[in-house]
DNA sequence: CTGAAAGCGCTAACAG
DNA sequence: CTGTTAGCGCTTTCAG
């Protein structure tokens, strides 16, 4: 398992190892003849450059840390896929960490990535407190926050206009005739989710609807959490004709609970999600939802990060993407009285 | 952004930097007093050990490369999640690469990981040819193949007993009265899928059923591919009462096509999947399937890899996990004539 | 155009 | 217990 080094090549080629280094790095200060000869020997010996050694002297690793709450979550894995692709195209590789939606673990992972000398970090934070928590390390390494809208925070982020997302969602439901819409699984610990709830609230106000919230105290939005919350909700008696779920995963959980409780969607109640994860498009699910442009957000995040890495003068920038209404089959028009 | 090094600490503490190194590494050859003093100074100065430098001398990076065809695929992302967790618990971090189901890109990524000096690689290969293709590099770094069953190949892998999986699946459908079962989206380029098809074929033979295959020439199993194939199938006229899909994603695609073609599942035709990805459990999907113990496979893969890394004497080992039938609602009993 | 030497941040003998 | 020295594999001055 002994690896071939630059010195081994030098010995065979009968040159100094500096020359080998130059041949490999495509330096101009070398004769084309020697270069070709050395390159050939390198190939023959099965040489692979040691990126660790290179990083040590170059003081850059060409590594981007990707820190997500859980890669096993359709939203994050879509983001991860596109981040990987964009990064690779720009010559960067990914170091992947899960925070499991846990702020301590998130901090641990962040520090670890710093120690690993990643050139930058893309972070899908687990909540609104991530920023304060990570603040001490934030000028150690360029960081871009994704998805979690941290509003006026002085750090780069890319997110969707969450407020607008729920706003247009409510307008859509309103246009279908719904006058009593519940906002489901509001998570106050996340700024993103605060904004979504607020967009919902503001739209309700503008349309003279009475807002109604079902709060979630869970740290994340999962099918399981949506299910649990919905089960309780369906057991009670409420006056509403539509549910606006804070996330598609929540909506999927609601779908599950509805099925079990004999609530038909969209016949009995309309359901609108947020995120547009790939599974929402399945015809059996067929969930109308608000799309977050994940591909775009991922590549923008990578670009922002690289820009920040290369331009130390740049402090931070915020990019807010446009959400889009995706109409499928989970919302039904209701007759007006 | 200048990082604090061991030398900076040494200067402040007024000791040699070796002493600092010793304090940090928990060596016993140092007075408890000095250690505490140095540790404190390190903390005050905001020191974080440079893992790159450490790796260079230690000749190990504590990094595991995870190479999957696409992280944006429920099966892979579940595997990835559990691999990350197991690895972290053992002090390893993950470097993530996608091959996009493309063998050239897979080779690229593999070489890249080698250059990055990862201590080991966990690979969910994109097909049966991955082994031959990667063979030249395989003794450069300990590697464990996951999911793709490479049979008698002389390299470590962990997989599910694919043959048995489809075998028990057919038995189950048979027990429900099905006598005409189509195997859907057989992929001949993948050994795993060959074995699945074979298990199906052998079960058919044992039960005196006539096997019927729908072949897929796609390089991967996705919803889209299942959908395309199924659309064509449903357009034709065939004699069958059940479909055994080569993968859950294929089954989801079939579900979609069925919906559009007015084929009711399970009323008109029963559908059985393979993998048990999380979305199959959604009540709206409610897919009966063959479970691959993904969590287990992931942690076993990590353990095998670490064992292989630590025990150079070990050549390779194969672990075959047990598949399990998960009965949900997509298969219906049919009356016997 | 090529080589010698220094050094990236850290660990590990080897002395004292 | 502590310091000196060498070296991990590579790039980069600085001479020639």
């Amino acid at each position: 398992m002994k690896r071939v080094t630059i010195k081994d090549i030098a010995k065979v080629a009968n040159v100094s190892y500096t020359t080998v280094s130059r041949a490999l790095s495509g330096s101009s200060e070398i004769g084309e003849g020697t270069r070709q000869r050395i390159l050939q020997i390198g190939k023959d010996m099965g040489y692979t450059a040691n990126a660790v050694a290179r990083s040590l002297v170059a003081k850059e690793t060409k590594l981007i840390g990707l820190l997500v709450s859980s890669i096993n979550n359709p939203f994050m894995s879509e983001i991860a896929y596109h981040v990987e692709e964009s990064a690779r195209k720009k010559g960067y590789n990914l170091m992947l960490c899960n925070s499991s939606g846990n702020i301590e673990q998130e901090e641990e992972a962040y520090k670890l990535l710093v120690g690993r000398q990643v050139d930058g970090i893309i972070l899908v934070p687990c909540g609104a407190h991530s920023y304060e928590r990570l603040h001490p390390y934030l000028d150690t390494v360029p960081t871009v926050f994704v998805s979690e809208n941290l509003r006026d925070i002085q750090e780069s982020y890319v997110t969707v206009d969450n407020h607008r997302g729920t706003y247009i969602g409510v307008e859509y439901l309103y246009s279908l005739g719904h006058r009593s819409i519940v906002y489901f699984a509001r998570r106050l610990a996340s700024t993103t989710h605060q904004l979504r709830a607020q967009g919902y609230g503001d739209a309700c106000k503008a349309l003279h609807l009475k807002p109604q919230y079902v709060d979630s105290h869970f740290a994340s939005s999962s099918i399981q959490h949506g299910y649990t919350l919905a089960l309780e909700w369906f057991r009670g008696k409420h006056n509403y004709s539509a549910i606006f779920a804070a996330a598609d995963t929540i909506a999927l959980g609601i779908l599950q609970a509805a099925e079990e409780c004999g609530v038909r969607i969209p016949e009995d109640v309309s359901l609108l999600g947020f995120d547009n994860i790939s599974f929402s498009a399945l015809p059996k699910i067929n969930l109308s939802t608000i799309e977050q442009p994940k591909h775009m957000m991922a590549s923008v995040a990578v670009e922002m990060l690289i820009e920040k890495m290369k331009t130390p003068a740049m402090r931070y920038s915020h990019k807010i993407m446009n959400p889009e209404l995706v109409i499928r089959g989970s919302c039904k028009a209701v007759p007006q009285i």
Side-chain angles (χ1 to χ4, degrees), chain A:
Chain A
M1 291 236 185
K2 177 99 180 65
R3 239 94 125 177
V4 180
T5 76
I6 216 177
K7 287 189 183 171
D8 301 325
I9 301 185
K11 214 162 285 173
V12 174
N14 217 21
V15 291
S16 77
Y17 61 87
T18 314
T19 307
V20 178
S21 170
R22 275 198 271 256
L24 259 27
S25 64
S27 154
S28 59
E29 316 183 297
I30 191 178
E32 198 46 35
T34 5
R35 147 162 305 132
Q36 290 308 333
R37 195 168 59 88
I38 291 174
L39 254 35
Q40 187 55 49
I41 294 175
K43 197 173 286 180
D44 293 347
M45 297 178 72
Y47 171 78
T48 326
N50 184 326
V52 172
R54 253 182 202 175
S55 299
L56 187 59
V57 20
K59 288 179 169 306
E60 65 168 6
T61 51
K62 287 285 180 184
L63 237 32
I64 290 177
L66 177 65
L67 178 44
V68 298
S69 26
S70 162
I71 191 71
N72 182 21
N73 163 305
F75 177 76
M76 313 278 178
S77 69
E78 277 186 63
I79 293 279
Y81 180 80
H82 294 120
V83 164
E84 194 277 340
E85 185 175 35
S86 301
R88 178 159 35 79
K89 285 187 178 156
K90 305 212 178 249
Y92 288 84
N93 288 112
L94 242 51
M95 221 145 116
L96 175 71
C97 294
N98 285 322
S99 67
S100 311
N102 173 324
I103 198 159
E104 281 82 27
Q105 201 176 310
E106 182 172 80
E107 185 182 353
E108 266 333 291
Y110 195 95
K111 287 200 283 191
L112 195 141
L113 288 170
V114 172
R116 292 259 186 209
Q117 315 297 119
V118 296
D119 294 343
I121 293 180
I122 289 181
L123 176 62
V124 184
C126 55
H129 294 301
S130 296
Y131 175 73
E132 321 154 19
R133 182 92 182 212
L134 297 177
H135 193 257
Y137 320 110
L138 250 30
D139 15 81
T140 323
V141 47
T143 302
V144 170
F145 289 78
V146 174
S147 166
E148 179 74 8
N149 189 328
L150 297 152
R151 302 201 229 200
D152 50 354
I153 243 50
Q154 316 220 334
E155 201 57 50
S156 291
Y157 63 75
V158 45
T159 181
V160 78
D161 187 338
N162 287 289
H163 184 279
R164 184 174 151 74
T166 42
Y167 200 102
I168 61 176
V170 171
E171 284 182 332
Y172 168 63
L173 290 170
Y174 187 91
S175 77
L176 290 178
H178 294 280
R179 295 296 177 262
S180 187
I181 304 165
V182 200
Y183 187 78
F184 216 87
R186 171 169 68 166
R187 265 171 56 204
L188 296 157
S190 152
T191 320
T192 290
H193 284 268
Q194 281 168 30
L195 285 165
R196 289 186 189 176
Q198 229 168 279
Y200 159 83
D202 289 348
C204 283
K205 188 180 287 177
L207 298 166
H208 306 292
L209 304 181
K210 193 166 130 272
Q212 221 179 140
Y213 301 93
V214 174
D215 286 347
S216 162
H217 298 289
F218 296 112
S220 62
S221 301
S222 71
I223 298 179
Q224 186 54 48
H225 296 157
Y227 172 74
T228 308
L229 254 28
L231 221 48
E232 198 184 319
W233 172 261
F234 288 138
R235 273 206 213 97
K237 231 185 143 23
H238 309 279
N239 180 34
Y240 67 103
S241 66
I243 297 178
F244 198 153
D248 277 9
T249 44
I250 295 290
L252 295 182
I254 294 174
L255 236 33
Q256 181 170 349
E259 182 109 348
E260 289 176 22
C261 298
V263 176
R264 293 167 310 157
I265 290 170
E267 291 78 6
D268 301 333
V269 8
S270 287
L271 178 63
L272 184 59
F274 202 118
D275 282 347
N276 194 25
I277 61 176
S278 57
F279 292 92
S280 301
L282 291 171
K284 291 278 186 169
I285 304 289
N286 206 25
L287 180 72
S288 293
T289 188
I290 308 294
E291 147 99 349
Q292 286 205 58
K294 295 167 282 295
H295 187 152
M296 186 66 100
M297 285 164 67
S299 51
V300 166
V302 172
E303 276 161 28
M304 280 170 73
L305 184 62
I306 293 180
E307 190 188 355
K308 207 178 164 192
M309 285 166 1
K310 303 211 163 142
T311 324
M314 233 246 310
R315 263 290 284 131
Y316 63 91
S317 63
H318 297 168
K319 300 225 178 174
I320 318 296
M321 317 298 271
N322 220 9
E324 232 161 295
L325 176 64
V326 178
I327 298 178
R328 286 196 274 252
S330 61
C331 296
K332 203 192 79 175
V334 294
Q336 284 310 296
I337 311 142

